[in-house]
Amino acid sequence: MISRRGFLRFIGGSFLTAVALGAYAAGIEPMLLAHVKRYALTPPHWPDGLKLRVVAFADIHACRPWMTQERIASLVDDANALQPDLILLLGDYIAGMPLVTGPVTPSQWASALSGLKAPLGVLSILGNHDWWSDGFAQRAGAGPIIARKALEKVGIPVLENDVVRLEKDGHGVWIAGLADQLALLPARRGDPCKGLDDLDGTLAKVGDSAPIILLAHEPDIFPTVPWRVSLTLSGHTHGGQVRLFGYSPVVPSRFGNRYAYGHVVENDRNLIVSGGLGFSILPVRFGMRPEILQIDLG
């Protein structure tokens, strides 16, 4: 039987361990240099001879002290150093929590992102927090929202239920971007958020048989994505922000851990969910370092 002194030592040790882990999760891991998460795959409908390197950012959540304009500029340098053909931004540039020491304005984070450079360009979509932070757009039930205006002002196109055709080495590839699936907050307590996404209408704009890369901030759309789409890229979940042994206790998805993080293959369809760079609700990351995606296709 454990003695009283042994019990108190156990309690004291457990408390100190909890404090240390909490300090690491709140003060250290969120500030670590972004890890480059690399994937290499040849998805369906991918033409022989087309090699495409995509670099992607998700969930920046710009704010002080964690995701300052200076830190975003440093991440931009890291992305450019990967020599991508194309850079994609997967939404949620706006801070998603009140626990900040100061704002990073849309003009500031957009200015930092304007340094992204790739031969095929930089394309973006918007996320739920970008919509939720814009009170005028919420009341109007429509955009363009502040985040979109900030991105477009620095020359970064925003795709909301729209497509762009790119070409590399004589091969075409379509980038399709969905409007956000949780864009409008509920008018009454208990009602769901209203999405502005139109998957069918977006894909109807694709004009030929070239492969499609779909950008969808929330991964919950994936079960309805047709096989015609070669790859879906998402963010939003942050990998749960806390991830232990491949499991995230809390995931902002109705599918739980099914689409929490990483490369998911279902019925020969491919989804990659980024763990993101910032955080929402609480400034905590544990077992889920900030990450930049590098995806080599073909």
Side-chain angles (χ1 to χ4, degrees), residues 24-296:
Y24 173 82
I28 298 177
E29 186 161 326
M31 299 302 293
L32 291 175
L33 293 176
H35 166 66
V36 179
K37 181 65 175 178
R38 293 177 168 88
Y39 298 93
L41 64 151
T42 302
H45 319 300
W46 202 259
D48 293 337
L50 174 57
K51 294 188 179 297
L52 186 71
R53 173 167 291 180
V54 174
V55 166
F57 283 179
D59 303 288
I60 292 171
H61 291 297
C63 66
R64 295 188 178 275
W66 294 286
M67 193 58 71
T68 63
Q69 182 178 7
E70 295 77 17
R71 189 179 181 196
I72 297 169
S74 177
L75 292 166
V76 165
D77 291 339
D78 293 340
N80 290 340
L82 298 174
Q83 298 183 311
D85 297 304
L86 173 66
I87 297 176
L88 301 173
L89 304 177
L90 302 178
D92 270 5
Y93 315 94
I94 304 291
M97 61 180 184
L99 300 175
V100 302
T101 60
V104 175
T105 66
S107 63
Q108 290 173 329
W109 55 252
S111 176
L113 290 174
S114 70
L116 291 167
K117 304 297 180 186
L120 297 182
V122 182
L123 297 170
S124 69
I125 58 171
L126 303 172
N128 56 303
H129 285 285
D130 304 321
W131 274 90
W132 294 353
S133 68
D134 191 323
F136 180 82
Q138 289 296 315
R139 291 188 292 273
I145 61 172
I146 293 170
R148 175 167 185 159
K149 294 175 183 177
L151 288 164
E152 291 179 336
K153 188 173 182 179
V154 298
I156 298 176
V158 179
L159 301 179
E160 291 190 279
N161 298 328
D162 209 352
V163 301
V164 170
R165 191 183 191 277
L166 307 175
E167 189 164 313
K168 180 176 185 280
D169 298 331
H171 297 283
V173 59
W174 291 90
I175 310 300
L178 285 187
D180 191 67
Q181 300 160 57
L182 302 171
L184 300 179
L185 291 164
R188 296 176 299 181
R189 185 186 296 269
D191 288 347
C193 290
K194 179 182 178 182
L196 298 176
D197 55 298
D198 180 1
L199 179 60
D200 292 341
T202 301
L203 296 181
K205 298 178 181 180
V206 171
D208 59 31
S209 61
I212 303 169
I213 298 174
L214 175 68
L215 314 183
H217 180 67
E218 295 88 2
D220 284 15
I221 193 75
F222 187 60
T224 63
V225 174
W227 189 74
R228 169 74 176 85
V229 173
S230 295
L231 175 65
T232 301
L233 297 180
S234 295
H236 182 64
T237 64
H238 308 180
Q241 291 186 191
V242 174
R243 192 164 180 84
L244 303 170
F245 309 109
Y247 177 81
S248 301
V250 179
V251 182
S253 166
R254 68 179 186 273
F255 296 102
N257 271 264
R258 181 174 169 184
Y259 305 132
Y261 176 66
H263 185 195
V264 179
V265 181
E266 291 183 354
N267 300 321
D268 205 24
R269 297 172 306 121
N270 287 266
L271 165 71
I272 293 177
V273 183
S274 171
L277 291 161
F279 33 60
S280 60
I281 311 302
L282 291 173
V284 170
R285 275 185 175 265
F286 189 84
M288 182 48 58
R289 284 183 60 176
E291 71 176 28
I292 298 170
L293 288 184
Q294 176 189 304
I295 305 165
D296 288 304

